[in-house]
């Protein structure tokens, strides 16, 4: 098995689906900083003060941002980070 196959085979292990509200917010803070570092200020700004957002607003912002990023094929690396978070939105309370 090649290292690429190994990475893809273990990909789900890196994508936890049981993140709670706090863990989701922490991942979104990391996402915000990664977006800012990648020069995507408009994306990063969407998650300014995510720590204070209610669950419904977080969920709506994640989905809206994923939709926006789908149009930016050059930003797939950032979009992948949001996909993992989106898989956990059901856990927001």
């Amino acid at each position: 098995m090649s290292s690429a196959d190994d990475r893809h085979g273990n990909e789900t292990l890196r994508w936890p689906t049981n993140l709670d509200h706090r863990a989701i917010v922490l991942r979104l803070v990391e996402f915000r900083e990664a977006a800012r570092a990648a020069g995507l200020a408009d994306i990063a700004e969407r998650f300014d003060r995510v720590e204070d957002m209610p669950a419904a607003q977080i969920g709506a912002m994640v989905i809206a941002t994923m939709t926006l990023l789908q149009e930016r094929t050059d930003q797939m690396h950032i979009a992948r980070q949001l996909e993992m978070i989106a898989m956990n939105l059901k856990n927001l309370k």
Side-chain angles (χ1 to χ4, degrees), residues 11-55:
E11 192 165 308
T12 56
L13 296 176
R14 293 189 325 237
W15 284 37
T17 57
N18 60 346
L19 297 178
D20 63 10
H21 185 103
R22 182 175 171 270
I24 290 169
V25 169
L26 288 173
R27 299 267 180 144
L28 285 170
V29 168
E30 292 171 3
F31 170 81
R32 178 182 67 205
E33 298 312 313
R36 193 165 279 130
L40 301 171
D42 61 322
I43 299 298
E45 288 172 3
R46 292 170 160 262
F47 296 97
D48 282 345
R49 303 196 41 90
V50 69
E51 302 89 339
D52 300 324
M53 288 181 190

Side-chain angles (χ1 to χ4, degrees), residues 4-6 10 18 21 30 32 34-35 39 44 46 48-49 58 60-61 65 71-72 81 83 86:
D5 290 337
D6 187 42
N10 291 323
N18 60 346
H21 185 103
E30 292 171 3
R32 178 182 67 205
R46 292 170 160 262
D48 282 345
R49 303 196 41 90
I58 291 171
M61 191 61 62
T65 304
E71 299 169 5
R72 298 182 183 185
Q81 293 178 39
E83 288 175 16

